[in-house]
Amino acid sequence: MSLKPSNSSQNLMLPVSDPPSIQDDYADDKLFRGSAMTKRGAFAAVSYMSCAVLLVMFNKAALSSYNFPSANVITLLQMVCSCCFLYLLRRWRMISFSANESLLISDTSTKFVSLKTLKHTLPLSGAYLFYMLVTMESVRGVNVPMYTTLRRTTVVFTMLVEFALVGQRYTRSVILSVGLIVFGAFVAGARDLSFDAYGYAVVFMSNIATAIYLATISRIGKTSGLNSFGLMWCNGIICGPVLLIWTFVRGDLKISINFPYLFSPGFIVILLFSCILAFFLNYCIFLNTTLNSAVTQTICGNLKDLFTIGLGWIIFGGLPFDIWNISGQFLGFAGSGLYAYYKLIGK
């Protein structure tokens, strides 16, 4: 069967690919009466949490279990794969790159987005590149349970960045839930016997990068006219060449080529799933942030930690299982649950 796209208007478009609009707010049914979150928003949040848990496991396996020498090269491969997926899906007219773009645009078009739009997304691309590089490196420095514990403090950085950029203010209910999350993170980390100053510093730098990245998505995603796929495409074609040059200059590409397990079937499978999951995770991040908010996206990251910590303990081990850690994890999840509850009831 030929894969050549048809000119029929019956071509299917992948779901939930457009940013929210006023009409969408009325068209989407709320989860229940009085809820501040729509069904599309809930779907985006759950999809993000599922992809995030799996991606952390595969990245940790590649960087720690196989001791792959360069997180930057994995980031580059993930970006190249994402651009290839987006190109094929757009050529097959399964997706569009902007909210009002027709899927019947001629395939002879030499570009999917205008140069003006690309320039508009430059700040987002810079924030994305910084976020990806630091986040990949942060996975290596600490064990999975402590990584997820320290990453919970990202919500504080996100709130500060949103306040600085757009003057966003939060209710006492939200502040209370966030405070509980952060307090739980410190309690859980009190007994980390594998303390590594460099690893902790990189994780906190990752928190700052994440906050800037999500706040930038929230701003540019709603002003550029691009949907989630369009934002991903612009990020890829801008950041890809920069990252390629960076890995070449640093010698990461040469080191990776000489990696002894490069052609190992197990490593190839892990790398393949890492690239596929990175594509879906990036899409879910854009979708969740534009449909909901940057802070909601961060809280979703906290909620998925339950599964990440559980799998991390089972697969990789690392953190002593004691009352302090259990108490801290419980407080963190309680804070995340409170935020989700306040979001659902509209407070």
Side-chain angles (χ1 to χ4, degrees), residues 89-123:
L89 292 173
R90 181 62 190 88
R91 278 301 182 192
W92 293 340
R93 299 194 185 99
M94 297 179 67
I95 62 173
S96 67
F97 285 167
S98 64
N100 300 318
E101 180 183 0
S102 171
L103 293 179
L104 300 181
I105 293 178
S106 172
D107 283 342
T108 60
S109 175
T110 57
K111 59 183 180 181
F112 292 145
V113 296
S114 65
L115 181 61
K116 181 180 179 180
T117 302
L118 278 178
K119 292 180 179 179
H120 186 75
T121 61
L122 280 176

Side-chain angles (χ1 to χ4, degrees), residues 57-134:
M57 295 298 110
F58 280 104
N59 286 343
K60 184 67 176 178
L63 294 172
S64 297
S65 298
Y66 278 93
N67 292 317
F68 187 73
S70 177
N72 294 342
V73 172
I74 292 182
T75 303
L76 176 62
L77 291 174
Q78 291 173 347
M79 195 172 295
V80 170
C81 288
S82 292
C83 286
C84 291
F85 292 150
L86 290 169
Y87 180 84
L88 292 175
L89 292 173
R90 181 62 190 88
R91 278 301 182 192
W92 293 340
R93 299 194 185 99
M94 297 179 67
I95 62 173
S96 67
F97 285 167
S98 64
N100 300 318
E101 180 183 0
S102 171
L103 293 179
L104 300 181
I105 293 178
S106 172
D107 283 342
T108 60
S109 175
T110 57
K111 59 183 180 181
F112 292 145
V113 296
S114 65
L115 181 61
K116 181 180 179 180
T117 302
L118 278 178
K119 292 180 179 179
H120 186 75
T121 61
L122 280 176
L124 177 59
S125 299
Y128 173 81
L129 188 59
F130 180 49
Y131 157 78
M132 286 296 295
L133 293 177
V134 178

Side-chain angles (χ1 to χ4, degrees), residues 67-285:
N67 292 317
F68 187 73
S70 177
N72 294 342
V73 172
I74 292 182
T75 303
L76 176 62
L77 291 174
Q78 291 173 347
M79 195 172 295
V80 170
C81 288
S82 292
C83 286
C84 291
F85 292 150
L86 290 169
Y87 180 84
L88 292 175
L89 292 173
R90 181 62 190 88
R91 278 301 182 192
W92 293 340
R93 299 194 185 99
M94 297 179 67
I95 62 173
S96 67
F97 285 167
S98 64
N100 300 318
E101 180 183 0
S102 171
L103 293 179
L104 300 181
I105 293 178
S106 172
D107 283 342
T108 60
S109 175
T110 57
K111 59 183 180 181
F112 292 145
V113 296
S114 65
L115 181 61
K116 181 180 179 180
T117 302
L118 278 178
K119 292 180 179 179
H120 186 75
T121 61
L122 280 176
L124 177 59
S125 299
Y128 173 81
L129 188 59
F130 180 49
Y131 157 78
M132 286 296 295
L133 293 177
V134 178
T135 300
M136 285 295 298
E137 185 63 28
S138 67
V139 176
R140 184 200 300 272
V142 297
N143 54 66
V144 172
M146 276 313 304
Y147 168 78
T148 54
T149 297
L150 294 174
R151 288 286 284 164
R152 288 201 202 110
T153 61
T154 303
V155 64
V156 176
F157 295 98
T158 304
M159 294 173 70
L160 291 175
V161 170
E162 279 201 321
F163 176 77
L165 292 180
V166 297
Q168 177 69 45
R169 297 182 181 274
Y170 301 93
T171 64
R172 291 183 180 179
S173 301
V174 170
I175 295 175
L176 172 64
S177 61
V178 169
L180 192 58
I181 292 171
V182 175
F183 178 69
F186 281 105
V187 171
R191 294 290 297 274
D192 181 18
L193 303 180
S194 59
F195 177 80
D196 178 7
Y198 172 77
Y200 273 49
V202 173
V203 173
F204 279 114
M205 182 63 69
S206 177
N207 292 347
I208 297 174
T210 302
I212 296 174
Y213 173 51
L214 295 179
T216 307
I217 291 176
S218 184
R219 292 192 65 188
I220 295 182
K222 296 175 182 178
T223 60
S224 63
L226 296 172
N227 59 24
S228 301
F229 293 119
L231 292 171
M232 289 173 62
W233 173 258
C234 290
N235 273 334
I237 61 177
I238 293 175
C239 297
V242 176
L243 186 56
L244 177 61
I245 295 173
W246 175 256
T247 53
F248 177 78
V249 172
R250 289 194 57 186
D252 290 339
L253 288 177
K254 182 177 181 180
I255 295 175
S256 299
I257 292 175
N258 296 325
F259 180 60
Y261 300 106
L262 185 61
F263 298 104
S264 169
F267 178 74
I268 291 176
V269 170
I270 288 175
L271 204 60
L272 177 62
F273 274 99
S274 176
C275 291
I276 294 174
L277 285 169
F279 169 76
F280 286 107
L281 178 64
N282 288 331
Y283 170 61
C284 291
I285 289 175

